[in-house]
Amino acid sequence: NVITIGSHKGYKQIYGYDILLKAYDLLLKDLSIQHFLNEGGLSLELKLAGSGRLDSKIAKGLCKHSSISLLGTIPFENVPEFLSSLDI
C-alpha cells in the first residue's frame, strides 16, 4: 500500500514547494515513521503536478528520492482524477 502526498499548482516559490520537499525529506529520514510504515507494509510517494520551474537548487537537492514524481502539466479535464488519487 502506498500513501500518496501531492499537489497541483504552478511550481512557484509562493506555493512553498521548497518547504514541502524539505518536509518530505525529513519524513523519509525519520526512523519512527519508517518503523510505522514498515510495520504496516506501507510506503510513501510524492506527486507534484503543475507548470513552471522549480528553483534548480531546490530541485537538485531535494528531488533526490525515487518516490518523488514531478509530473508537469496535467490537462484540465484530468485534474479531478489526479486530485482524487492523492491521500494527502
Side-chain angles (χ1 to χ4, degrees):
N1 290 335
V2 178
I3 298 171
T4 305
I5 302 167
S7 179
H8 181 269
K9 285 277 189 193
Y11 297 147
K12 296 181 180 179
Q13 183 73 23
I14 192 170
Y15 297 126
Y17 280 106
D18 58 331
I19 296 167
L20 176 60
L21 289 165
K22 287 176 188 174
Y24 187 75
D25 185 55
L26 290 172
L27 191 63
L28 292 179
K29 290 178 181 175
D30 187 305
L31 294 178
S32 62
I33 299 283
Q34 288 303 314
H35 178 73
F36 171 78
L37 293 170
N38 290 338
E39 288 290 313
L42 300 170
S43 62
L44 294 174
E45 69 179 355
L46 176 63
K47 292 184 178 182
L48 303 177
S51 60
R53 265 189 50 211
L54 284 178
D55 178 277
S56 61
K57 184 175 106 178
I58 294 169
K60 283 182 192 173
L62 297 173
C63 294
K64 58 189 172 197
H65 300 288
S66 62
S67 61
I68 297 176
S69 300
L70 299 176
L71 304 174
T73 303
I74 292 180
F76 180 74
E77 62 272 7
N78 296 343
V79 171
E81 180 183 348
F82 170 72
L83 293 175
S84 69
S85 75
L86 304 176
D87 297 306
I88 300 170

